[in-house]
């Protein structure tokens, strides 16, 4: 049924008819639905701001959410949003033309955060932290202006795992990007429906659908980023022991405070023996 052209969203027109692609698509949809249900993301009748960067992950997010909506499994309104941050050479027409062609409700916002980042960040330092804060602030504003209850991001399983190890190695804490949180102002949810989806699956899906991928040259042009270092470590572990990433990811869903060392999470001082 899903392969009939009249039955699916335009985002899936021209989808490969191979068994491999059908399994990939089914897996991504299943994992996304699981995360949405497991973390209680659905408020019927609400409106989501789906953030679209033009990367493989955000295209995958946009497509799978529309499939779930088409199936009647996601009773929310979706509006795609791209924040053009004024990066030199950014192909500003690609996403508007794509979204128009796909018939996806959308908003394109231009804010020159690039100049701010270049002005404020000292030479040799990475741009990611300030760039992310400025982007997030604008997305929250847009979500409010559009009447949305949630900002929806395309972070996947590997992003979450990499962030955990970055915090472990460099921040001295056990923390990562949660699938669901409330912003500091307390008026918007932030969702990551692809939390269970592997990066490799996003890449295979977006490439198979021939979506017009836009690279992030601002961050990708810098060598020695902590995230890239962590990714290389995880790639090495995965190569030596296939499936290691998924095992480590499952550990994030199976925390045991009594077997860690944080007295704020477990009352070690109050432990008593049976006499």
């Amino acid at each position: 049924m899903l392969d009939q052209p009249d039955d699916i969203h335009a985002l899936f027109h021209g989808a490969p008819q191979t068994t491999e692609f059908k399994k990939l698509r089914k897996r991504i949809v299943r994992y996304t639905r699981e995360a949405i249900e497991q973390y209680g993301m659905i408020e019927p009748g609400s409106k989501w701001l789906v953030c679209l960067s033009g990367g493989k992950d955000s295209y995958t997010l946009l497509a799978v959410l529309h499939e779930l909506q088409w199936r009647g499994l996601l009773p929310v309104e979706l509006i795609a949003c791209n924040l053009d941050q004024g990066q030199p050479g950014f192909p500003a027409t690609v996403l508007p033309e794509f979204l128009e062609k796909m018939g996806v409700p959308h908003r394109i916002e231009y804010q020159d955060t690039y100049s701010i980042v270049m002005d404020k960040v000292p030479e040799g330092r990475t741009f990611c932290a300030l760039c992310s804060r400025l982007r997030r602030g604008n997305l929250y504003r847009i979500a409010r202006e559009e009447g949305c209850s949630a900002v929806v991001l395309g972070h996947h399983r590997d992003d979450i795992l990499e962030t955990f190890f970055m915090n472990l190695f460099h921040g001295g804490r056990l923390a990562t990007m949660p699938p669901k949180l409330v912003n500091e102002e307390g008026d918007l949810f932030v969702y990551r429906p692809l939390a269970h989806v592997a990066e490799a699956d996003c890449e295979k899906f977006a490439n198979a659908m021939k979506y017009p991928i836009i690279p992030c040259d601002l961050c990708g042009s810098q060598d020695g980023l902590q995230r890239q270092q962590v990714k290389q470590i995880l790639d090495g572990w995965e190569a030596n022991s296939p499936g290691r990433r998924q095992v480590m990811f499952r550990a994030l869903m199976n925390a045991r405070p009594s077997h860690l060392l944080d007295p704020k999470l477990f009352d070690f001082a109050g432990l008593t023996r049976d006499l």
Side-chain angles (χ1 to χ4, degrees), residues 250-266:
R250 287 205 305 270
L252 297 180
M253 304 171 65
N254 189 28
R256 299 185 180 182
S258 64
H259 286 59
L260 296 172
L261 284 77
D262 191 341
K264 297 187 293 297
L265 295 180
F266 187 80

Side-chain angles (χ1 to χ4, degrees), residues 189-241:
F189 284 115
V190 177
Y191 295 150
R192 296 181 173 95
L194 297 184
H196 295 171
V197 178
E199 180 179 16
D201 281 352
C202 293
E203 184 170 10
K204 292 175 184 175
F205 179 84
N207 287 339
M209 291 304 305
K210 297 182 172 59
Y211 292 142
I213 306 299
I214 302 173
C216 178
D217 294 326
L218 177 63
C219 299
S221 63
Q222 292 182 290
D223 296 328
L225 288 177
Q226 293 174 352
R227 184 171 293 275
Q228 290 302 318
Q229 294 171 353
V230 168
K231 184 185 288 288
Q232 291 171 6
I233 293 172
L234 296 180
D235 285 345
W237 289 347
E238 185 72 20
N240 291 329
S241 182

Side-chain angles (χ1 to χ4, degrees), residues 14-32:
Q17 297 301 302
T18 64
T19 299
E20 181 181 4
F21 179 81
K22 291 177 181 178
K23 288 182 178 179
L24 171 67
R25 175 178 169 183
K26 184 177 181 180
R27 181 167 62 249
I28 293 174
V29 170
R30 182 176 74 251
Y31 286 165
T32 304

Side-chain angles (χ1 to χ4, degrees), residues 28-44 46 48 61 64-69 73-76 78 152-153 179-180 191-197:
I28 293 174
V29 170
R30 182 176 74 251
Y31 286 165
T32 304
R33 182 184 179 188
E34 287 176 357
I36 289 173
E37 294 180 350
Q38 183 175 20
Y39 297 103
M41 298 182 188
I42 295 179
E43 293 179 298
S46 60
W48 290 6
L61 173 68
V64 71
L65 291 182
H66 276 86
E67 173 152 345
L68 288 171
Q69 186 187 58
L73 300 173
L74 188 62
V76 303
L78 302 174
V152 187
L153 306 174
K180 177 182 180 180
Y191 295 150
R192 296 181 173 95
L194 297 184
H196 295 171
V197 178

Side-chain angles (χ1 to χ4, degrees), residues 32-273:
T32 304
R33 182 184 179 188
E34 287 176 357
I36 289 173
E37 294 180 350
Q38 183 175 20
Y39 297 103
M41 298 182 188
I42 295 179
E43 293 179 298
S46 60
K47 187 177 182 181
W48 290 6
L49 188 78
V50 183
C51 301
L52 191 67
S53 67
K56 63 184 185 305
D57 312 325
S58 62
Y59 278 121
T60 301
L61 173 68
L62 184 69
V64 71
L65 291 182
H66 276 86
E67 173 152 345
L68 288 171
Q69 186 187 58
W70 171 83
R71 290 190 186 192
L73 300 173
L74 188 62
V76 303
E77 182 180 350
L78 302 174
I79 177 172
C81 176
N82 172 252
L83 178 64
D84 182 344
Q85 297 178 261
Q87 296 179 24
F90 181 79
T93 62
V94 170
L95 286 171
E97 291 176 356
F98 173 81
L99 294 169
E100 287 288 347
K101 180 180 178 181
M102 296 295 111
V104 174
H106 63 276
R107 173 170 169 176
I108 305 296
E109 180 86 3
Y110 178 81
Q111 292 290 332
D112 185 9
T113 63
Y114 175 84
S115 296
I116 299 174
V117 170
M118 297 301 292
D119 180 62
K120 298 295 184 182
V121 177
E123 185 176 355
R125 301 288 298 274
T126 60
F127 304 138
C128 298
L130 179 58
C131 179
S132 178
R133 285 200 302 273
L134 294 173
R135 180 173 63 250
R136 194 66 57 87
N138 278 290
L139 291 174
Y140 288 163
R141 171 183 56 79
I142 295 167
R144 295 183 186 106
E145 291 173 358
E146 294 292 338
C148 296
S149 62
V151 171
V152 187
L153 306 174
H155 295 126
H156 46 65
R157 180 200 69 179
D158 298 77
D159 287 325
I160 292 172
L161 193 58
E162 290 161 13
T163 300
F164 171 80
F165 279 102
M166 288 174 65
N167 282 320
L168 179 68
F169 294 156
H170 303 288
R173 59 184 179 272
L174 299 180
T176 189
M177 300 182 295
K180 177 182 180 180
L181 60 83
V182 177
N183 67 337
E184 293 181 359
E185 294 80 5
D187 64 333
L188 292 169
F189 284 115
V190 177
Y191 295 150
R192 296 181 173 95
L194 297 184
H196 295 171
V197 178
E199 180 179 16
D201 281 352
C202 293
E203 184 170 10
K204 292 175 184 175
F205 179 84
N207 287 339
M209 291 304 305
K210 297 182 172 59
Y211 292 142
I213 306 299
I214 302 173
C216 178
D217 294 326
L218 177 63
C219 299
S221 63
Q222 292 182 290
D223 296 328
L225 288 177
Q226 293 174 352
R227 184 171 293 275
Q228 290 302 318
Q229 294 171 353
V230 168
K231 184 185 288 288
Q232 291 171 6
I233 293 172
L234 296 180
D235 285 345
W237 289 347
E238 185 72 20
N240 291 329
S241 182
R244 177 69 60 85
R245 266 192 170 94
Q246 184 61 21
V247 172
M248 292 188 292
F249 183 77
R250 287 205 305 270
L252 297 180
M253 304 171 65
N254 189 28
R256 299 185 180 182
S258 64
H259 286 59
L260 296 172
L261 284 77
D262 191 341
K264 297 187 293 297
L265 295 180
F266 187 80
D267 184 14
F268 293 98
L271 277 177
T272 60
R273 295 174 295 134

